[in-house]
């Protein structure tokens, strides 16, 4: 739903179609629903929209949380989104951001860095800047740990969304 929010909000921002805004609000509502009292986003739901506790407890939700924070921050940069929607997006972001975050997987770190960079564009804040710097150092350390003369990468394998790792360092 985070990616769907990003796509529909970007489409609305570019084209201005009311249906895109309607869908963006729907996806944002789902994201809001997935936010727990502890400040994390759940990723798995059953067909009847109930929480799939087993799947959420089995998998790491780091990627889903980082990607959602990235999407929320990115959508805040869209100039044509209505103020009330941006306020809601920021409110959801703040609820998640207020809970201590610690990302340890490369892609989660990368999505988080890029999201923080989007927020920093909007609100020049030294706290955000230090978080960006901290997570860039963490990602760089992963690269240094895994690189060799025959392998120059952040981890021992190539999986999905590989470009986001380099992009995060360029953004940060």
């Amino acid at each position: 739903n985070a990616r769907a929010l990003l796509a529909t909000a970007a489409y609305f921002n570019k084209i201005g179609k009311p249906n895109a805004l309607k869908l963006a609000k729907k996806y944002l509502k789902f994201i809001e629903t997935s936010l727990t009292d502890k400040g994390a986003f759940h990723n798995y739901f059953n067909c009847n929209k109930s929480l799939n506790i087993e799947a959420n407890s089995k998998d790491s939700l780091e990627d889903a949380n980082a990607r959602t924070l990235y999407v929320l921050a990115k959508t805040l940069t869209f100039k044509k989104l209505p103020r009330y929607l941006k306020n809601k997006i920021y409110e959801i972001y703040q609820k998640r951001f207020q809970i201590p975050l610690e990302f340890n997987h490369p892609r989660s770190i990368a999505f988080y860095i890029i999201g923080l960079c989007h927020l920093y564009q909007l609100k020049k804040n030294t706290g955000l800047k230090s978080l960006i710097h901290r997570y860039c150092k963490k990602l760089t350390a992963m690269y240094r740990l895994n690189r060799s003369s025959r392998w120059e990468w952040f981890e021992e394998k190539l999986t999905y969304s590989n470009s986001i790792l380099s992009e995060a360092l360029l953004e940060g």
Side-chain angles (χ1 to χ4, degrees):
N1 283 291
R3 288 177 260 199
L5 170 62
L6 181 60
T8 55
Y11 184 75
F12 177 81
N13 192 55
K14 187 169 181 123
I15 309 296
K17 296 276 185 178
N19 283 349
L21 184 60
K22 183 179 175 183
L23 285 172
K25 288 191 276 188
K26 185 177 191 174
Y27 296 128
L28 182 62
K29 182 67 179 161
F30 189 85
I31 289 169
E32 182 178 30
T33 302
S34 76
L35 185 63
T36 69
D37 294 337
K38 295 179 181 172
F41 293 105
H42 286 297
N43 196 36
Y44 300 104
F45 290 83
N46 298 312
C47 295
N48 65 359
K49 299 181 185 174
S50 66
L51 188 62
N52 186 326
I53 295 167
E54 181 183 341
N56 281 298
S57 61
K58 187 173 83 173
D59 281 356
S60 168
L61 298 179
E62 242 189 62
D63 188 66
N65 277 262
R67 192 181 301 263
T68 302
L69 287 170
Y70 153 73
V71 166
L72 293 173
K74 176 68 178 171
T75 55
L76 287 171
T77 68
F78 295 152
K79 291 181 175 28
K80 293 181 183 175
L81 277 186
R83 174 64 37 208
Y84 74 89
L85 194 57
K86 284 184 174 186
N87 289 342
K88 188 63 172 172
I89 291 167
Y90 190 71
E91 176 188 317
I92 294 168
Y93 191 96
Q94 283 300 105
K95 282 181 186 175
R96 178 60 184 108
F97 194 72
Q98 289 173 1
I99 306 300
L101 299 169
E102 192 57 46
F103 294 111
N104 296 303
H105 296 94
R107 278 156 203 78
S108 303
I109 292 169
F111 278 112
Y112 190 51
I113 290 168
I114 295 171
L116 289 171
C117 288
H118 288 304
L119 270 186
Y120 186 75
Q121 288 175 0
L122 298 171
K123 300 174 185 284
K124 304 284 189 225
N125 175 311
T126 56
L128 288 174
K129 191 173 184 177
S130 66
L131 269 176
I132 292 166
H133 183 71
R134 177 177 156 226
Y135 276 97
C136 282
K137 283 176 70 176
K138 197 170 186 175
L139 198 55
T140 302
M142 289 177 170
Y143 173 80
R144 288 188 178 128
L145 179 69
N146 288 289
R147 73 174 289 278
S148 70
S149 61
R150 297 175 53 112
W151 186 256
E152 293 193 34
W153 200 241
F154 300 84
E155 54 194 345
E156 296 174 355
K157 60 189 180 274
L158 292 174
T159 57
Y160 66 98
S161 296
N162 291 304
S163 64
I164 199 78
L165 303 173
S166 301
E167 181 185 345
L169 292 177
L170 291 171
E171 290 281 332

